[in-house]
Amino acid sequence: MNDKVIATLNELIETSKDGEKGFALAARDTKEPELNEVFRQGEESCRAAAAELQDQVRQLGGDAAEFGSM
């Protein structure tokens, strides 16, 4: 059972890491200060979510994903 949970959490970590990278790229490419702030907040939110999920995987005794799928 833990293996399935860990696998699912690792997929979510990868998705969060992908989102973090996507928001960072969007922030880098925008010229609008308001959008830049929104994208930076999205990047931080994804980073925090990934870190929380990684902690959960480790608590379950698994190896947490470190990178996204991109």
Side-chain angles (χ1 to χ4, degrees):
M1 180 69 167
N2 270 0
D3 290 341
K4 285 186 178 186
V5 172
I6 289 169
T8 300
L9 291 173
N10 274 324
E11 287 178 19
L12 292 171
I13 292 167
E14 288 178 0
T15 300
S16 294
K17 291 290 190 178
D18 290 345
E20 179 184 351
K21 185 172 184 172
F23 279 117
L25 291 172
R28 183 192 73 194
D29 292 342
T30 189
K31 305 285 189 267
E32 299 294 326
E34 298 86 9
L35 282 178
N36 185 281
E37 181 59 27
V38 169
F39 294 146
R40 291 289 174 202
Q41 288 175 359
E43 177 186 7
E44 180 54 37
S45 178
C46 287
R47 182 181 299 115
E52 187 174 335
L53 292 165
Q54 288 168 323
D55 287 344
Q56 291 297 313
V57 169
R58 290 183 191 109
Q59 286 179 9
L60 291 170
D63 292 324
E66 295 294 327
F67 305 101
S69 63
M70 298 181 4

